[in-house]
Amino acid sequence: MSENRDYYEVLGVDRDADARTIKRAFLKKARTVHPDVSDDPEAEAKFKELNEAYSVLSDEQKRANYDRYGTADGPSGSGYVDINDIFGGMGMDDLFSSFFGGGAGGGARSRRERRRGRDMAISLSVTLEEAALGCKKTISYDRLAPCEDCNGTGRAEGAQEKQCGRCHGTGYVTTVQRSFLGQVQSSSPCPDCHGEGTVIDHPCETCDGQGRTPSHEKIDIDIPAGVSTGRQLRVSGFGEAGLRGEPSGDLIVNVRVADHERFKRNGDDLYLLSDISIAQAALGCEIEVEGIMP
């Protein structure tokens, strides 16, 4: 993105806009510029620009740095961990591809099994000192979160969820075609309800009736003392939001302890290589080493 392009101008909001206004402006523009729905040859570049602007203005610390210094990192970095390595989860572009895809694909049964939000997994690196003493990490990541405008229901005010008139609640439609072999019958997801079996007469405009929207989240993670590489920490309810108010999945944090410049770890023991003289080795001695202390 051009350094001279103003993030507020990209989103089309005032500089004093609140978080909700910024998010709604982002979702509204994303619906028109995302490559999955736009024929504009520059759609991908425009969406990346839009996503970059939102990733800064939707984060309090990045926005404060941008307003003061003209850059999201500020004078000395952002101060929290921005997680880009999401295993089993999605980046913002993938989130929108899934979001625009709605309920398409798969049979009615598979769609209903996926109403609950999926678990997401991220990898988080900590230092040996942080692993030994425990710490709190603030991480930033993208997910499908409950829609704020409809409280995750997918319904506009006064709307109702009704049985789909085309498939009569089955979630799929059957078509019969003639061929030289005779009549061929096939089933496919209902195009009206996308395999759900129900439709909303007045869906929420923000989430298009899904009850969830792409969102940039920031949460605090407590890292317990003594944690080791491979430890998994589960944060309940912070994975992908469920469809239309169904339960959210969990966020699974895979911890990795970074290598230390002086110590080698073996279980709960630490090993340190120290140089001594021949005389010290022959006669024995005491040496002072710096450990890991609170």
Side-chain angles (χ1 to χ4, degrees):
M1 180 174 173
S2 172
E3 293 182 0
N4 296 325
R5 190 70 192 275
D6 187 274
Y7 287 138
Y8 293 96
E9 179 185 344
V10 172
L11 288 176
V13 297
D14 296 331
R15 300 190 73 85
D16 59 353
D18 59 21
R20 186 170 184 177
T21 300
I22 288 173
K23 182 175 182 179
R24 295 188 69 175
F26 170 61
L27 292 172
K28 183 178 180 180
K29 284 204 168 189
R31 285 183 176 277
T32 62
V33 304
H34 193 278
D36 286 355
V37 296
S38 175
D39 295 329
D40 188 340
E42 297 183 358
E44 183 174 353
K46 289 181 178 179
F47 180 73
K48 287 182 178 179
E49 181 180 69
L50 184 69
N51 186 36
E52 181 180 338
Y54 177 67
S55 68
V56 171
L57 298 187
S58 63
D59 184 278
E60 291 183 6
Q61 187 167 357
K62 285 184 178 181
R63 183 180 180 182
N65 287 336
Y66 176 71
D67 288 343
R68 184 173 182 181
Y69 303 106
T71 173
D73 293 335
S76 59
S78 60
Y80 66 89
V81 181
D82 192 354
I83 299 297
N84 295 314
D85 190 9
I86 303 183
F87 307 102
M90 295 177 275
M92 186 62 80
D93 189 69
D94 292 328
L95 284 173
F96 261 99
S97 295
S98 174
F99 182 62
F100 285 119
R109 181 180 178 184
S110 64
R111 286 295 305 155
R112 285 169 180 159
E113 289 174 348
R114 285 171 48 197
R115 289 180 67 97
R116 182 187 185 277
R118 289 174 290 190
D119 291 342
M120 299 177 65
I122 64 174
S123 179
L124 176 63
S125 179
V126 298
T127 66
L128 182 61
E129 288 82 0
E130 289 172 332
L133 304 175
C135 64
K136 177 174 290 187
K137 286 283 190 179
T138 302
I139 63 173
S140 177
Y141 68 108
D142 299 322
R143 72 162 180 150
L144 286 175
C147 176
E148 296 177 355
D149 285 357
C150 65
N151 295 321
T153 64
R155 300 191 295 267
E157 187 176 356
Q160 294 182 342
E161 188 171 356
K162 302 178 180 179
Q163 184 183 86
C164 177
R166 175 174 291 196
C167 67
H168 303 292
T170 63
Y172 60 92
V173 292
T174 302
T175 56
V176 179
Q177 295 178 328
R178 291 183 179 180
S179 71
F180 68 93
L181 296 175
Q183 290 185 333
V184 178
Q185 181 174 298
S186 62
S187 296
S188 60
C190 175
D192 288 357
C193 67
H194 303 294
E196 292 296 334
T198 58
V199 293
I200 297 174
D201 53 6
H202 297 292
C204 170
E205 293 184 359
T206 301
C207 66
D208 197 28
Q210 289 196 38
R212 56 190 183 182
T213 58
S215 180
H216 192 68
E217 304 280 310
K218 188 166 71 171
I219 63 171
D220 292 333
I221 302 291
D222 289 319
I223 307 298
V227 70
S228 58
T229 294
R231 174 76 178 274
Q232 291 188 333
L233 307 176
R234 183 178 292 269
V235 186
S236 179
F238 279 88
E240 182 185 81
L243 188 68
R244 298 180 190 170
E246 292 295 318
S248 298
D250 297 336
L251 179 65
I252 301 170
V253 181
N254 295 301
V255 179
R256 185 183 73 83
V257 181
D259 293 335
H260 197 275
E261 60 182 4
R262 293 188 300 115
F263 292 104
K264 296 294 183 182
R265 181 177 180 179
N266 184 8
D268 290 333
D269 298 326
L270 295 180
Y271 292 84
L272 173 67
L273 183 63
S274 180
D275 293 328
I276 59 174
S277 66
I278 295 178
Q280 287 175 314
L283 301 175
C285 64
E286 289 185 1
I287 61 172
E288 184 175 318
V289 297
E290 183 178 349
I292 297 177
M293 301 296 291

